[in-house]
Amino acid sequence: MRLLHIVATFSLAGSALSQSNTVDAYISSESPIAKAGLLANIGPNGAKCSGAKSGVVIASPSTNPNYIYTWTRDSSLVFKAIIDQFTLGQDPSLRSQIDNFIKAETFLQQVSNPSGTVSSGGLAEPKFNVDETAFTGAWGRPQRDGPGLRSTALITYANWLVENNNATFVSSTLWPIIQLDLDYVAGNWNKTGFDLWEEVQGSSFFTTAVQHRSLREGAALATRIGQTSLVSNYNTQADNILCFLQSYWNPNAGYITANTNSGRSGKDANGALASIHTWDIAAGCDAATFQPCSDKALSNLKVYVDAFRTIYTINNGIPTGSAVATGRYPEDGYYGGNPWYLTTLAVAEQLYDALTTWNSLGELNVTTVSLAFFKQFDSDVVVGTYPSTTANYAALTGAVKNFADGFVEIVAKYTPANGGLSEQYNRGTGVQLSAADLTWSYASALTAFGARAGTITASWGASGLVVPSRCSTAPTSTSSSSTSTPTPSPSPGSVSVTFNVHAITVYGENIYLTGSVGQLQNWSPDNALLLSAANYPTWSITVTLPANTAIQYKYIRKYNGKITWESDPNMQITTPSSGSIVENDTWR
Ligand SMILES: *[C@@H]1O[C@H](CO)[C@@H](O)[C@H](O)[C@H]1NC(C)=O
Ligand SMILES: *[C@@H]1O[C@H](CO)[C@@H](O)[C@H](O)[C@H]1NC(C)=O
Ligand SMILES: *[C@@H]1O[C@H](CO)[C@@H](O)[C@H](O)[C@H]1NC(C)=O
Ligand SMILES: *[C@@H]1O[C@H](CO)[C@@H](O)[C@H](O)[C@H]1NC(C)=O
């Protein structure tokens, strides 16, 4: 019992009930305000939505700075919070909002914009006007986290629908838009872009982490709904991304370098945000995916938090091991460089997620990597495993809980009387500033409060992953679009065939392919292969087929559960002996 004496230390800290009461009181008053504030910013009926179209999330109703735009990142994070509440049974009334969001994003995906069209890079456009037209001004583009975050939100809803006997809607309406985003991620993750703060052009840890998650859970959903031809490429690219993800870790200084090419320290809220948005309790404290309780994520959190101790006047006099106000990154100069509500709350949320995970595993490890994190609570903590039945576990988790509550208490202290949360609060006075009623601030309050209450969000497949020993890059796409499914390398005796068909469809209607061989599902309309509308009105799919074979096929339409076959006769191709071919058809 080498740690026996810290029990006394931490039972003292744990008895600071006034702090916990402050947090409890803040959460009960702020929760309804945050929920209402979030919904107020969503069209068409939100009280402050500034004329946004149905399902469109405005970043903030502020006109100075002007935030009346819809960002794919912010909207997807906001709707992930909404979808989690709905799918966990916490608020059934949110379903119509989710359905509106799906329609809005389906439309926005197709809006040509300065990043490109749906098939040539437009999915990574950071923001749109709230009337769903393209924003054509200068901006830091592309931003490649949007497709990953959007597909993650929609996959969470899709999994719930499948579990609730509505796989039809998933296959007909949700999957086609999810697939566009996943194909984009699979084809473009190995390119630089702007980070989540829209400033650094390079590779960004947050972007890489959310891209990895989306492909992993996308592969699982594809398997679940019979889109099996896509699974192996998504998993291959997910492995490649997981490998690349490790490269951001700085082992000497014990933190995640947020971006390449930033010219900064790399200490950034990016790491904590990635950790909370890729939490999967089934993965335990695995450091490969930087889970909230992993030693790397905890070490990173300490380095990040400490970077703000001396630079903000409002943190003066707060001792090490106690919570402080934190911002995006210490070098930040936007509005003078201030703490943000959503970054301070992200620290609390990571710690609450960690506590929930330790409690479910029944133990906590202190490793050489996380030792400094734990030592900030007591300098005598040593490396080891602490089972939940021990006093040391109670002391350590009690200290972490207090630390976490401290960040919520700081946010509470600098929340004005009406409960409104803007983007930032002043580094010298704590008075809030920049965009008022930031939707993401409200979402971050709701998810942090949920995490404190022990909410467990759905797993996404982070458990048991093995980091490849050698990192590979993504295959180079041959088309300028980079969004098509990369061509699988044919095994001997097989060839790669791309089927393109020109077909006009209505919203919710999709084109499928089936035919005379197993690879084309043996004429099964139920298992027919869904084509991508990335180049609408051309629908396409690339499949591996036996070489030197005469194959018959037909396209079919599915709409609202109704199946329509192409008119007779069957189409026919004879595959070549090797290589790949492109077949161009028009719907009959
Ligand atoms: C399936 O889900 C969609 C989207 O929420 C909904 O519009 C539709 O009514 C549902 N269908 C069934 C059979 O529940
Ligand atoms: C592409 O992937 C390789 C292998 O992981 C990595 O070394 C490189 O930095 C990546 N580049 C970008 C821009 O993602
Ligand atoms: C603690 O470490 C052991 C040994 O590495 C591992 O098997 C266990 O899963 C870890 N537990 C937690 C909670 O991280
Ligand atoms: C189909 O169109 C592509 C380009 O649009 C062309 O390269 C290809 O040769 C065409 N295939 C056939 C069989 O004509």
Side-chain angles (χ1 to χ4, degrees), residues 151 155 175 178-187 214-215 218-219 234:
S151 51
I155 288 167
W175 178 255
I178 292 171
Q179 191 192 333
L180 283 177
D181 281 339
L182 295 177
D183 286 351
Y184 180 84
V185 173
S214 70
L215 285 190
Y234 289 169

Side-chain angles (χ1 to χ4, degrees), residues 3 28 59 66 110 117 131 178 211 269 284 372 399 417 469 550 569-570:
L3 285 185
S28 65
N66 186 0
Q110 303 291 331
T117 67
D131 65 356
I178 292 171
Q211 287 176 332
S469 52
N570 293 334

Side-chain angles (χ1 to χ4, degrees), residues 55 97-107 154 157 161 169 173-174 177 507:
Q97 298 272 5
I98 298 168
D99 289 340
N100 291 345
F101 173 67
I102 293 166
K103 290 199 180 111
E105 296 304 312
T106 305
F107 185 88
L154 295 178
Y157 188 48
L161 288 168
F169 183 79
T173 307
L174 263 186
I177 57 173
Y507 174 76

Side-chain angles (χ1 to χ4, degrees), residues 150-166:
R150 177 166 54 201
S151 51
T152 280
L154 295 178
I155 288 167
T156 306
Y157 188 48
N159 283 325
W160 181 88
L161 288 168
V162 171
E163 280 148 26
N164 287 273
N165 304 316
N166 199 345

Side-chain angles (χ1 to χ4, degrees), residues 2 36 78 85 119 132 184 193 212 236 286 301 344 455 468 484 511 517 546 549 586-587:
R2 279 173 296 179
V78 164
Q85 283 204 357
S119 56
E132 298 180 330
Y184 180 84
H212 172 246
T236 301
D286 189 11
L301 194 70
T344 310
T455 299
S484 54
I511 304 294
V517 291
T549 309
T586 300
W587 170 271

Side-chain angles (χ1 to χ4, degrees), residues 285 358 361 363-365 385:
C285 299
W358 287 321
L361 293 170
E363 66 179 25
L364 171 161
N365 288 333
T385 295

Side-chain angles (χ1 to χ4, degrees), residues 251-277:
N252 301 320
Y255 69 92
I256 297 159
T257 307
N259 302 295
T260 61
N261 305 333
S262 76
R264 302 176 188 155
S265 63
K267 299 170 188 175
D268 196 304
N270 177 320
L273 286 165
S275 195
I276 62 176
H277 292 300

Side-chain angles (χ1 to χ4, degrees), residues 35 39 86 90-97:
K35 181 81 169 278
L39 294 175
F86 174 78
Q90 295 169 354
D91 185 351
S93 77
L94 294 170
R95 185 165 190 162
S96 57
Q97 298 272 5

